[in-house]
């Protein structure tokens, strides 16, 4: 037998280079029709894939099980169920959170609102990376706690939530849908109730071909469950959390608690216990039938069916989605049976030293998947049945999984990185691509393309491909293929910001107009730039994809990677973003305000811009100014002093005035730039840029401050009260518990404890006895709302309790009435009247005291419209020796940063409260 002629190394090299060049010009191989396989986490050093991931991918190729959980907020999801479905069963699991949790609180920083929503969205991504699930959202913005379903649907229109949920049901195609909450008051939150109602609505709507046909073909859910902790004695289904994942060596429960612990902003850290446990669900189809308990919480475990018991979980069941008489149905079923059998055998043979031996059979497995896909594609045009779209999508998903398994078993690693973190529209920069085959199976000559996320704008361009220079450093390694690309950003590329923030909000909904349909509902849009490489292994076509990131060496930490971001040519910030200016009712001289605008030039060749600052018509207009830049000075600022017009001053003496200001930088082409990017950066989540418009607000109001030498402030969670107090002239020193332990406390007139500070500063409990002793000697101690650690630690001077769930007034417009109208808290130095309760945001207060010692005096009463009794524990004062103690659940942490003048006036009165004014 004559051996085949082997091409020379020079011939192979020439062919390989030609293919890369053709790809750069846009000529793609047929293999590029294959779904691209994402390779690894781009923010981690490149690898060929780990054994744990390979085991999971093989398991996912053995079955067809899909489960979707629906609830209202980040941290509402059942991570045990997600982890069980994804990592014990090997199915696909997902969580749809109606909101991003913007109305919650933040234990790891000061961001609230949109910024907190970004943090919590990224935390959900980090959780899903551990439990193996997918993450989706509706467009709802969390407006804060409410008991009312009616209020929820007034602010989150039911039709909008239903459309967003059906979009995800049809896209993700769950066989099992799980609602976390019951559709009634037991859910404890109007938004929780709404998620339960919408989950059930969506099952019928998703199956209705007449409902929103633009969202895709109808999809029928096979089973609907609800979390059983609302009625544990009625559980109908169970799933084991004591299953040990063989490769990771951790149980499903351990993995689930690790996932849960990613919600760091919500104080959700958990231990990872050993041992067995199980979760429970209620089948809603039989939940209301009168029958004895199936699974009492304290009973011995019973053999309840698992949540997929009503589902045909065979991989070949995907073929059943095709019409019974569809010509490719038998082919698809046979091919998928072969895939599942092969994946089962390969998983049983998996061991660290034998991955390479799996490659031929994985290639054969891929051939079966490709044959099934080809059969569907060939018949689709002629038959055009709704099931064809579902089958194509599910086969593509399995093909991606199989491609990743093949790359991992083959030892193929792809990397793509640059040495810059930010790029501007129109700029060119270099990207290094490395493809390494560490295994024994040869790769076909690869081609390369780039994929840019341009949101409908011009595509990114690949200008050149060159031989990459050898790397420098202590360790120099050679890879099989290394190329240096030159890439140009589209001239009209938008800044890399979350897709749901491009247009802001329409009331309590994010504005999704103009966003691609396939992005809607995703946690975030795809990264701005990816590299795609097409090749083949053992005859199996393979398309690999890798996000382009910035890579650099840190001498302390080693390799550091950060996401590549497009930034505007110029960023503009305005100070004040908000300024509260106290107006002395008796002052005759108009106060002045310093306005400072700063422009950052991100374009390397920028030399100058024109800065414009806009004021309302009643104010004297400000002329534009030119700001210059050079090679070393990339930021420039301009400060101007403006006087408050007399008419505005007169109005502010009787009612608060809000004055809007704005700034913009006009570049030489005439384009206006009016945002800056606030980068959110925490070690446990991906870096994210929040767009901040260059707009500001000046709030003028009649606020009289007491005479104070100095107050000490212990910052709490997401607490911007110190900055708010400083800007109105309060002499404030930020202190920690450790500092207060050794401070000369006699220097302070008042000590203020921020909201949830007893959770944020663990040493605060230990120093509290010293603070109370200082109070007895004549000090004023103000404690803003705390949670149960405060009560359990008995840190108040006299007993008080906080109920579970806690008392609160969630309606920010709810009427509040003084219980002691002539008390100094409402009289000195500011007279508090009905107007001071106007303009409050999100809520009146939370974590009110439920019971308290007779030494306290309750000063306020109010209730939500749907509440049946007044809440009176929101503002308590007590005499402690010669001093004054205040506990307040009023939400000053929201009101003061929002510029609510009435809240400032009331807080100033608390700072002024004297001992002789406390007693009845």
């Amino acid at each position: 037998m004559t051996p085949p002629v082997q091409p020379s190394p020079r011939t192979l090299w020439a062919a390989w280079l030609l293919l890369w060049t053709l790809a750069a010009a846009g000529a793609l191989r047929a293999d590029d029709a294959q779904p691209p396989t994402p390779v690894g986490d781009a923010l981690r050093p490149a690898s060929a894939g780990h054994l744990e991931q390979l085991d999971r991918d093989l398991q996912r190729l053995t079955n067809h099980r899909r489960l979707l959980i629906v609830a209202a907020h980040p941290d509402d999801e059942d991570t045990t169920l997600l982890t069980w479905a994804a990592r014990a069963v090997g199915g696909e699991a997902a969580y749809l959170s109606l909101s991003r949790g913007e109305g919650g609180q933040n234990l790891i920083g000061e961001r609230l609102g949109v910024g907190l929503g970004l943090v919590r969205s990224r935390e959900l991504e980090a959780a899903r990376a551990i439990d193996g699930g997918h993450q989706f959202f509706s467009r709802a913005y969390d407006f804060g706690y409410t008991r009312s379903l009616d209020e929820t649907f007034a602010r989150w229109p039911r039709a909008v939530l239903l459309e967003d949920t059906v979009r995800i049901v049809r896209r993700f195609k769950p066989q099992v849908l799980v609602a976390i909450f019951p559709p009634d008051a037991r859910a404890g939150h109007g938004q929780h109730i709404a998620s339960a109602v919408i989950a059930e609505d969506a099952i019928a709507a998703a199956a209705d071909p007449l409902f929103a046909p633009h969202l895709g073909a109808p999809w029928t859910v096979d089973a609907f469950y609800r979390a059983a902790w609302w009625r544990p004695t009625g559980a109908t289904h169970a799933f084991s959390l004591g299953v040990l994942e063989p490769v990771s060596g951790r149980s499903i429960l351990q993995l689930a608690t690790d996932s849960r612990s990613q919600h760091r902003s919500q104080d959700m850290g958990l231990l990872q216990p050993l041992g067995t446990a199980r979760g429970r669900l209620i089948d809603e189809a039989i939940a209301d039938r009168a029958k004895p308990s199936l699974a009492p919480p304290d009973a011995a475990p019973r053999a309840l069916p698992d949540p997929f018991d009503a589902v045909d979980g065979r991989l070949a069941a995907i073929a059943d989605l095709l019409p019974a008489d569809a010509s490719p149905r038998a082919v698809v079923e046979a091919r998928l049976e072969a895939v599942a059998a092969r994946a089962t055998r390969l998983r049983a043979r998996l061991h660290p030293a034998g991955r390479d031996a799996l490659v031929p059979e994985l290639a054969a497995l891929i051939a079966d998947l490709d044959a099934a896909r080809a059969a569907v594609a060939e018949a689709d045009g002629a038959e055009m049945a709704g099931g064809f779209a579902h089958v194509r999508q599910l086969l593509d998903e399995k093909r991606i999984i199989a491609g990743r398994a093949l790359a991992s078993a083959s030892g193929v690693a792809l990397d793509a990185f640059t040495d810059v973190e930010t790029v501007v529209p129109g700029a060119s920069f270099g990207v290094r691509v490395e493809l390494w085959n560490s295994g024994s199976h040869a790769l076909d000559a690869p081609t390369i393309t780039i994929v840019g996320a341009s949101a409908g704008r011009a595509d990114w361009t690949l200008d050149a491909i060159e031989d990459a220079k050898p790397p420098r450093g202590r360790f120099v390694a050679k890879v099989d293929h290394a190329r240096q690309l030159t890439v140009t950003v589209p001239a009209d590329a938008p800044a890399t910001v979350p897709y749901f923030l491009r247009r802001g909000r329409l009331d309590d909904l994010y504005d999704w107009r103009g966003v691609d349909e396939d992005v809607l509902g995703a946690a975030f849009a795809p990264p701005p730039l990816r590299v795609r490489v097409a090749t083949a292994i053992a005859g199996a076509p393979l398309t690999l994809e890798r996000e382009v990131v910035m890579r650099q060496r840190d001498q302390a930490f080693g390799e550091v990677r950060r996401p590549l971001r497009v930034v505007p040519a110029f960023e503009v910030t305005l100070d004040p973003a908000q300024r509260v200016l106290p107006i002395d009712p008796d002052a005759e001289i108009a106060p002045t305000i310093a306005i400072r605008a700063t422009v950052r030039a991100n374009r390397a060749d920028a030399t100058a811009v024109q800065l414009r600052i806009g004021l309302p018509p009643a104010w004297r207009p400000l002329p534009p100014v030119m700001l210059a830049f050079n090679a070393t000075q990339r930021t420039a600022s301009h400060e101007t002093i403006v006087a408050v017009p007399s008419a505005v001053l007169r109005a502010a003496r009787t009612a608060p005035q809000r004055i809007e200001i704005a700034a913009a930088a006009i570049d030489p082409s005439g384009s206006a730039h009016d945002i800056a990017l606030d980068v959110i950066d925490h070690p446990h989540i991906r870096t994210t840029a929040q767009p901040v418009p260059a707009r500001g607000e000046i709030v003028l109001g009649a606020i009289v401050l007491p005479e104070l030498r100095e107050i000490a402030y212990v910052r709490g969670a997401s607490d911007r009260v110190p900055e708010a107090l400083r800007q109105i002239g309060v002499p404030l020193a930020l202190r920690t518990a450790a500092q207060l332990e050794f401070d000369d406390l006699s220097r302070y007139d008042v000590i203020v404890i921020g909201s949830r500070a007893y959770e944020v500063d663990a040493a605060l409990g230990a120093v509290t006895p010293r603070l109370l002793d200082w109070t007895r000697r004549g000090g004023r101690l103000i404690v803003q709302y705390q949670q149960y650690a405060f009560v359990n630690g008995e840190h108040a001077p006299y007993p008080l309790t906080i109920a579970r769930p806690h008392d609160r007034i969630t309606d920010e417009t709810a009427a509040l009435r003084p219980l002691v109208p002539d008390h100094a808290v409402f009289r000195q130095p500011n007279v508090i009247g009905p107007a001071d309760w106007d303009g409050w945001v999100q809520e009146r207060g939370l974590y009110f005291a439920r019971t308290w010692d007779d030494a306290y005096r309750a000063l306020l009463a109010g209730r939500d419209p749907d509440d049946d009794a007044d809440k009176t524990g929101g503002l308590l004062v007590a005499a402690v020796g010669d001093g004054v103690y205040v506990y307040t659940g009023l939400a000053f942490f929201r009101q003061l940063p929002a510029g609510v003048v009435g809240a400032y006036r009331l807080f100033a009165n608390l700072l002024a409260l004297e001992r002789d004014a406390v007693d009845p």
Side-chain angles (χ1 to χ4, degrees), residues 423 427 429 450-454 457-462 487-490 493 496 528-529 564-566:
V423 293
F429 65 103
I450 59 171
V451 182
S454 298
R457 293 169 169 81
D459 290 334
W460 295 54
T461 56
L462 178 52
V487 178
T488 298
V489 187
T496 304
L529 184 64
L564 177 70
R565 296 186 289 114
V566 179

Tab-separated table of all heavy atoms in Angstrom, residues 423 427 429 450-454 457-462 487-490 493 496 528-529 564-566:
chain	number	residue	atom	x	y	z
A	423	VAL	N	-11.079	51.305	24.934
A	423	VAL	CA	-10.848	51.795	23.575
A	423	VAL	C	-11.950	52.784	23.246
A	423	VAL	O	-13.044	52.737	23.818
A	423	VAL	CB	-10.834	50.640	22.551
A	423	VAL	CG1	-9.628	49.745	22.771
A	423	VAL	CG2	-12.117	49.816	22.619
A	427	ALA	N	-10.922	54.041	17.033
A	427	ALA	CA	-9.520	53.737	17.318
A	427	ALA	C	-9.163	52.328	16.859
A	427	ALA	O	-10.005	51.427	16.816
A	427	ALA	CB	-9.241	53.882	18.806
A	429	PHE	N	-6.442	49.054	17.589
A	429	PHE	CA	-5.616	48.514	18.659
A	429	PHE	C	-5.277	47.073	18.332
A	429	PHE	O	-5.872	46.451	17.445
A	429	PHE	CB	-6.337	48.619	20.009
A	429	PHE	CG	-7.592	47.790	20.123
A	429	PHE	CD1	-7.606	46.598	20.837
A	429	PHE	CD2	-8.770	48.206	19.510
A	429	PHE	CE1	-8.756	45.841	20.943
A	429	PHE	CE2	-9.934	47.452	19.614
A	429	PHE	CZ	-9.926	46.267	20.329
A	450	ILE	N	-13.653	38.036	13.730
A	450	ILE	CA	-13.971	38.759	14.959
A	450	ILE	C	-15.464	39.029	14.979
A	450	ILE	O	-16.113	39.151	13.933
A	450	ILE	CB	-13.184	40.074	15.102
A	450	ILE	CG1	-13.461	41.000	13.917
A	450	ILE	CG2	-11.699	39.799	15.260
A	450	ILE	CD1	-12.888	42.395	14.094
A	451	VAL	N	-16.023	39.103	16.167
A	451	VAL	CA	-17.447	39.352	16.351
A	451	VAL	C	-17.578	40.528	17.313
A	451	VAL	O	-17.140	40.438	18.463
A	451	VAL	CB	-18.172	38.115	16.926
A	451	VAL	CG1	-19.661	38.401	17.069
A	451	VAL	CG2	-17.931	36.894	16.056
A	452	GLY	N	-18.160	41.606	16.842
A	452	GLY	CA	-18.340	42.784	17.680
A	452	GLY	C	-19.796	42.973	18.041
A	452	GLY	O	-20.688	42.686	17.248
A	453	ALA	N	-20.034	43.436	19.245
A	453	ALA	CA	-21.390	43.757	19.699
A	453	ALA	C	-21.597	45.245	19.497
A	453	ALA	O	-21.196	46.058	20.323
A	453	ALA	CB	-21.570	43.370	21.164
A	454	SER	N	-22.192	45.610	18.356
A	454	SER	CA	-22.292	47.022	18.000
A	454	SER	C	-23.692	47.572	18.099
A	454	SER	O	-23.942	48.701	17.703
A	454	SER	CB	-21.767	47.233	16.570
A	454	SER	OG	-20.413	46.871	16.483
A	457	ARG	N	-25.044	49.026	14.968
A	457	ARG	CA	-24.187	49.979	14.289
A	457	ARG	C	-23.197	49.248	13.388
A	457	ARG	O	-23.281	48.036	13.216
A	457	ARG	CB	-23.454	50.845	15.321
A	457	ARG	CG	-24.391	51.765	16.101
A	457	ARG	CD	-23.686	52.394	17.282
A	457	ARG	NE	-24.456	53.461	17.887
A	457	ARG	CZ	-25.443	53.270	18.752
A	457	ARG	NH1	-25.791	52.037	19.106
A	457	ARG	NH2	-26.108	54.288	19.263
A	458	ALA	N	-22.270	49.987	12.820
A	458	ALA	CA	-21.297	49.391	11.909
A	458	ALA	C	-20.472	48.328	12.622
A	458	ALA	O	-20.253	48.399	13.834
A	458	ALA	CB	-20.374	50.487	11.363
A	459	ASP	N	-20.024	47.334	11.867
A	459	ASP	CA	-19.257	46.241	12.449
A	459	ASP	C	-17.837	46.674	12.782
A	459	ASP	O	-17.271	47.586	12.172
A	459	ASP	CB	-19.195	45.064	11.468
A	459	ASP	CG	-20.541	44.380	11.308
A	459	ASP	OD1	-21.335	44.460	12.262
A	459	ASP	OD2	-20.783	43.797	10.249
A	460	TRP	N	-17.269	45.983	13.748
A	460	TRP	CA	-15.843	46.106	14.001
A	460	TRP	C	-15.111	45.536	12.798
A	460	TRP	O	-15.598	44.628	12.117
A	460	TRP	CB	-15.454	45.344	15.257
A	460	TRP	CG	-16.058	45.876	16.520
A	460	TRP	CD1	-17.382	46.105	16.786
A	460	TRP	CD2	-15.353	46.234	17.710
A	460	TRP	NE1	-17.555	46.577	18.056
A	460	TRP	CE2	-16.329	46.661	18.662
A	460	TRP	CE3	-14.015	46.223	18.081
A	460	TRP	CZ2	-15.977	47.089	19.933
A	460	TRP	CZ3	-13.669	46.647	19.348
A	460	TRP	CH2	-14.635	47.081	20.270
A	461	THR	N	-13.909	46.039	12.525
A	461	THR	CA	-13.155	45.565	11.364
A	461	THR	C	-11.832	44.966	11.802
A	461	THR	O	-11.184	45.456	12.736
A	461	THR	CB	-12.887	46.704	10.365
A	461	THR	OG1	-12.212	47.780	11.039
A	461	THR	CG2	-14.205	47.217	9.786
A	462	LEU	N	-11.483	43.892	11.115
A	462	LEU	CA	-10.205	43.229	11.319
A	462	LEU	C	-9.285	43.717	10.217
A	462	LEU	O	-9.414	43.333	9.053
A	462	LEU	CB	-10.390	41.714	11.266
A	462	LEU	CG	-9.161	40.821	11.406
A	462	LEU	CD1	-8.361	41.183	12.649
A	462	LEU	CD2	-9.590	39.366	11.463
A	487	VAL	N	-7.346	45.637	15.069
A	487	VAL	CA	-8.803	45.751	15.055
A	487	VAL	C	-9.177	47.224	15.169
A	487	VAL	O	-8.544	47.979	15.923
A	487	VAL	CB	-9.417	44.949	16.218
A	487	VAL	CG1	-10.934	45.103	16.243
A	487	VAL	CG2	-9.035	43.479	16.123
A	488	THR	N	-10.201	47.633	14.437
A	488	THR	CA	-10.694	49.009	14.514
A	488	THR	C	-12.107	49.024	15.065
A	488	THR	O	-12.977	48.266	14.611
A	488	THR	CB	-10.675	49.687	13.131
A	488	THR	OG1	-9.323	49.752	12.663
A	488	THR	CG2	-11.240	51.105	13.217
A	489	VAL	N	-12.325	49.883	16.062
A	489	VAL	CA	-13.642	50.052	16.668
A	489	VAL	C	-14.509	50.877	15.724
A	489	VAL	O	-14.041	51.855	15.143
A	489	VAL	CB	-13.518	50.771	18.025
A	489	VAL	CG1	-14.857	50.800	18.744
A	489	VAL	CG2	-12.446	50.117	18.886
A	490	PRO	N	-15.783	50.528	15.532
A	490	PRO	CA	-16.648	51.371	14.697
A	490	PRO	C	-16.665	52.808	15.192
A	490	PRO	O	-16.644	53.066	16.394
A	490	PRO	CB	-18.028	50.715	14.839
A	490	PRO	CG	-17.744	49.306	15.234
A	490	PRO	CD	-16.492	49.348	16.055
A	493	ALA	N	-19.505	53.323	17.558
A	493	ALA	CA	-19.715	52.298	18.587
A	493	ALA	C	-20.174	52.944	19.890
A	493	ALA	O	-19.594	53.936	20.342
A	493	ALA	CB	-18.432	51.513	18.822
A	496	THR	N	-19.593	50.789	26.305
A	496	THR	CA	-19.942	49.482	26.855
A	496	THR	C	-20.633	49.680	28.199
A	496	THR	O	-19.997	49.784	29.247
A	496	THR	CB	-18.690	48.605	27.012
A	496	THR	OG1	-18.026	48.502	25.750
A	496	THR	CG2	-19.065	47.206	27.494
A	528	PRO	N	-18.067	43.399	24.084
A	528	PRO	CA	-17.935	44.190	22.857
A	528	PRO	C	-17.166	43.496	21.743
A	528	PRO	O	-17.419	43.770	20.575
A	528	PRO	CB	-17.208	45.457	23.331
A	528	PRO	CG	-16.561	45.083	24.617
A	528	PRO	CD	-17.448	44.059	25.248
A	529	LEU	N	-16.238	42.601	22.077
A	529	LEU	CA	-15.426	41.988	21.023
A	529	LEU	C	-15.080	40.560	21.397
A	529	LEU	O	-14.666	40.277	22.520
A	529	LEU	CB	-14.130	42.787	20.805
A	529	LEU	CG	-13.235	42.287	19.664
A	529	LEU	CD1	-13.947	42.426	18.325
A	529	LEU	CD2	-11.922	43.052	19.646
A	564	LEU	N	-12.616	44.168	28.373
A	564	LEU	CA	-12.401	45.255	27.428
A	564	LEU	C	-13.672	46.095	27.358
A	564	LEU	O	-14.784	45.561	27.305
A	564	LEU	CB	-12.078	44.681	26.049
A	564	LEU	CG	-11.885	45.685	24.914
A	564	LEU	CD1	-10.592	46.475	25.110
A	564	LEU	CD2	-11.884	44.968	23.567
A	565	ARG	N	-13.520	47.423	27.360
A	565	ARG	CA	-14.682	48.307	27.336
A	565	ARG	C	-14.486	49.404	26.300
A	565	ARG	O	-13.388	49.932	26.141
A	565	ARG	CB	-14.908	48.965	28.706
A	565	ARG	CG	-15.244	48.011	29.826
A	565	ARG	CD	-15.593	48.761	31.111
A	565	ARG	NE	-14.431	49.399	31.726
A	565	ARG	CZ	-14.257	50.700	31.847
A	565	ARG	NH1	-15.173	51.550	31.380
A	565	ARG	NH2	-13.176	51.191	32.435
A	566	VAL	N	-15.552	49.736	25.599
A	566	VAL	CA	-15.571	50.935	24.764
A	566	VAL	C	-16.007	52.099	25.640
A	566	VAL	O	-16.999	52.004	26.375
A	566	VAL	CB	-16.542	50.776	23.582
A	566	VAL	CG1	-16.561	52.042	22.731
A	566	VAL	CG2	-16.156	49.574	22.732
